[in-house]
Amino acid sequence: MPGRGTRINTQRRELSLAASIVLYETPLERIEPLLSQLQAGGAAEVYIIDNTPGSPSADSARAAARLVERFAAGGSPLELHYPGKNLGYGRGHNIAIKRSTPKYKYHLICNPDITLGDDTLAVLHDFMESNPEVGLCMPKLVGPDGETHFCCRRSPVALDYLSQLLMPGSWGRRRKDSLEMRSRDYDQTMEVPCLSGCFMFFRSETLSRLGGFDERFFLYFEDLDLSARARKFGKNVYFPYTWVVHERQSGHRTSWRLKARFAASACRYFAKWGWVSSSADK
């Protein structure tokens, strides 16, 4: 797999790190491989916030209890939260962030469709330990086919998205490439304005000072907003010497309901940071 890091240790090394995963209509058993990887990689605790509306069935509750027991025996407590309704992505993670950051030095915001690379957590942990000026970092993201995902972003403005609607084949393509910083070398470490929210390795002190996600963003743009605010307290760094696989789903491209959520979040983001130029860069 491209961009893989050097293996550090074949034994489990517990880190001062917690991870949070937000689910929506995703069975727990589907993320068991990821949970096992987080535990094996050294995560001290994992929080799962299941935003599926309603209460879990009796069978699901029993399966969850067995999973919690098994992970506790392996050394990584698993804490499940069932709000009973869809709180949104950021608000769901904030439940875990408020509980995690007073206890652990680092916090990982992780999508359920992630597969960890060799020693990903340990490599990122050691990078952050060696670079105290970094508040947020992310490894290389690749798809199941091994192709690099362009997860870095410059500070967006409204034209970056309007151009893709109005002239997707020419102007829109150029704006998108610029937004995703495709002219930069994705095989080299770089400081960037914004990072994708699918895998954000935070220093807990930074995340605590930020107060977590801005809960006004129900879905979409919450990661760009969090990245923009994080720059006030440290560097945002892309660190490609370890990797994760991301299956990446773009539901807003096919669902009108998600398109509407995307548009609403975009308007909220640009109203906050600027439509024509971004105050995040000042």
Side-chain angles (χ1 to χ4, degrees):
M1 187 68 69
R4 62 186 297 165
T6 303
R7 180 171 292 278
I8 291 178
N9 196 333
T10 57
Q11 301 298 317
R12 182 177 187 273
R13 171 185 166 201
E14 186 166 310
L15 310 172
S16 183
L17 166 72
S20 57
I21 302 169
V22 170
L23 303 179
Y24 181 76
E25 296 185 346
T26 302
L28 269 179
E29 57 266 23
R30 191 176 299 174
I31 66 166
E32 282 193 49
L34 171 59
L35 296 175
S36 296
Q37 291 169 352
L38 289 169
Q39 184 179 53
E45 189 164 5
V46 180
Y47 299 85
I48 298 175
I49 297 84
D50 190 341
N51 274 343
T52 304
S55 301
S57 67
D59 286 344
S60 295
R62 283 192 291 269
R66 289 194 296 269
L67 187 64
V68 168
E69 184 177 354
R70 177 158 60 87
F71 273 79
S76 294
L78 194 62
E79 190 172 301
L80 303 179
H81 294 263
Y82 295 97
K85 60 181 179 179
N86 189 356
L87 299 177
Y89 185 82
R91 189 177 171 193
H93 276 292
N94 280 352
I95 292 173
I97 289 168
K98 289 172 185 175
R99 298 176 67 82
S100 159
T101 51
K103 296 192 290 182
Y104 302 105
K105 190 171 182 179
Y106 300 103
H107 184 94
L108 170 65
I109 295 163
C110 186
N111 268 23
D113 55 355
I114 289 288
T115 301
L116 299 183
D118 294 342
D119 296 307
T120 297
L121 301 184
V123 171
L124 295 178
H125 171 274
D126 290 352
F127 171 72
M128 295 288 273
E129 287 286 282
S130 300
N131 296 274
E133 74 282 3
V134 178
L136 164 63
C137 74
M138 168 177 282
K140 174 175 280 193
L141 265 63
V142 299
D145 57 1
E147 290 296 314
T148 298
H149 286 180
F150 297 96
C151 56
C152 301
R153 299 285 185 276
R154 61 169 172 75
S155 300
V157 294
L159 275 179
D160 292 322
Y161 297 94
L162 289 174
S163 63
Q164 295 176 48
L165 291 174
L166 298 174
M167 298 181 67
S170 52
W171 181 38
R173 178 76 258 177
R174 290 194 299 272
R175 297 285 311 203
K176 185 174 187 293
D177 287 352
S178 174
L179 177 64
E180 295 176 346
M181 303 178 69
R182 294 194 181 213
S183 63
R184 302 286 296 274
D185 186 352
Y186 268 73
D187 288 324
Q188 299 294 324
T189 301
M190 53 182 166
E191 184 179 353
V192 298
C194 299
L195 289 164
S196 167
C198 67
F199 198 89
M200 305 176 94
F201 196 106
F202 263 102
R203 194 175 302 278
S204 290
E205 179 184 0
T206 300
L207 199 51
S208 180
R209 293 177 74 179
L210 292 170
F213 286 97
D214 183 339
E215 296 183 2
R216 291 175 294 178
F217 294 91
F218 183 85
L219 184 65
Y220 302 119
F221 286 85
E222 67 282 290
D223 52 348
L224 301 181
D225 173 76
L226 189 64
S227 296
R229 291 189 289 123
R231 295 172 72 190
K232 298 178 182 178
F233 304 112
K235 294 180 179 179
N236 297 340
V237 172
Y238 169 76
F239 185 73
Y241 300 106
T242 186
W243 52 271
V244 297
V245 178
H246 182 213
E247 293 187 18
R248 191 163 61 178
Q249 300 172 2
S250 299
H252 70 279
R253 299 185 188 279
T254 56
S255 165
W256 284 104
R257 180 176 61 85
L258 293 179
K259 284 179 187 288
R261 287 206 182 277
F262 185 90
S265 288
C267 290
R268 185 168 287 114
Y269 180 89
F270 297 128
K272 180 176 182 178
W273 292 102
W275 293 83
V276 177
S277 63
S278 177
S279 61
D281 293 330
K282 297 177 181 177

